[in-house]
Amino acid sequence: MLTTSPREPEQASSRQVIPAGDYYLGVLQAGEVARILDLEGNQAADTLFYCADNPLERYSATDTIREQGNIYLTTGSRLRSNENRVMLEIVADTCGRHDTLGGACASESNTVRYDLEKRCMHACRDSWMLAVSEHPEYGIGKRDITHNINFFMNVPVTRDGGLTFEDGISAPGKYVEMKAYMDTIVLISNCPQLNNPCNGYNPTPVEVLIWD
Ligand SMILES: [Zn+2]
């Protein structure tokens, strides 16, 4: 469902632009709202969430999909943990659909999806691994890198249940906003993918804005 936000960027307590191929790692306190802004359109923000008090509790696609009875995320979607607790709720969305099935790009999957020579290309999994190794204070390691949300990515499911990676439905200036229900570690890889039609073969920056 398309919904705009009443929050003004000028009132945000923090703003950070993430270039394509880079990561964002920070804690969203309970009650705070985070916006991911697709600056130039058709970008994919591959995102993981962890409970800040216990990172073993993390975003769960299966719990989220089962409880809302829908595979797409948009306004009103409650993002649940592997303990079936609500971590965040999407409170505004001007894109309309976000993927929770397609997973993140990795050098291994790139060779399967695209070509053997793509193995050396930078992938979201690399950005996450770099983030957790540069910030051991968050208590997240390689084993915690699990299934993720692809904000702005368009992965419709066919009538036969097949997954398709389609042209993006986002555009410059579209955004998604979520309110934290618990202190939540936010780990975003701004996808560097050059082979995927979801981002028009052109990775671009996104911005993260936070309101207290
Ligand atoms: Zn990626």
Side-chain angles (χ1 to χ4, degrees):
M1 185 172 56
L2 296 175
T3 45
T4 55
S5 166
R7 280 162 281 274
E8 297 291 341
E10 298 73 33
Q11 262 121 47
S13 58
S14 91
R15 299 181 69 164
Q16 187 175 331
V17 173
I18 317 167
D22 205 349
Y23 68 82
Y24 174 93
L25 178 59
V27 174
L28 192 66
Q29 305 290 339
E32 290 185 330
V33 173
R35 174 187 297 185
I36 306 175
L37 171 61
D38 191 358
L39 288 167
E40 298 183 32
N42 283 350
Q43 185 55 12
D46 293 42
T47 304
L48 293 159
F49 297 111
Y50 305 88
C51 173
D53 295 331
N54 171 24
L56 290 176
E57 183 175 4
R58 51 164 176 78
Y59 166 73
S60 164
T62 45
D63 290 271
T64 299
I65 292 168
R66 183 194 64 242
E67 292 294 325
Q68 72 168 12
N70 195 295
I71 56 171
Y72 303 126
L73 303 177
T74 186
T75 312
S77 288
R78 291 181 158 186
L79 311 180
R80 290 176 178 271
S81 75
N82 54 328
E83 296 185 19
N84 201 23
R85 295 202 298 157
V86 177
M87 304 185 77
L88 309 108
E89 179 174 341
I90 297 179
V91 292
D93 180 17
T94 62
C95 176
R97 178 191 288 180
H98 308 272
D99 165 63
T100 198
L101 298 176
C105 62
S107 58
E108 294 84 354
S109 65
N110 285 347
T111 64
V112 175
R113 272 186 195 152
Y114 308 115
D115 195 290
L116 204 53
E117 67 181 20
K118 311 294 186 188
R119 183 173 178 85
C120 307
M121 295 178 74
H122 186 70
C124 281
R125 194 174 168 82
D126 301 325
S127 293
W128 287 334
M129 293 301 292
L130 181 65
V132 300
S133 63
E134 287 186 336
H135 295 280
E137 68 272 22
Y138 286 91
I140 306 169
K142 185 177 183 180
R143 71 172 63 183
D144 302 306
I145 303 299
T146 63
H147 50 240
N148 63 290
I149 293 171
N150 295 306
F151 287 112
F152 307 117
M153 208 163 101
N154 186 22
V155 185
V157 174
T158 68
R159 290 174 69 91
D160 296 331
L163 283 184
T164 55
F165 289 71
E166 300 288 340
D167 288 350
I169 54 174
S170 189
K174 299 216 174 198
Y175 59 80
V176 58
E177 263 181 30
M178 58 221 91
K179 183 173 188 174
Y181 278 51
M182 61 174 74
D183 294 352
T184 303
I185 300 168
V186 180
L187 175 55
I188 301 171
S189 163
N190 188 17
C191 187
Q193 187 54 254
L194 290 166
N195 303 290
N196 189 331
C198 294
N199 69 0
Y201 307 101
N202 176 32
T204 50
V206 300
E207 184 175 4
V208 176
L209 300 89
I210 292 172
W211 289 266
D212 293 333

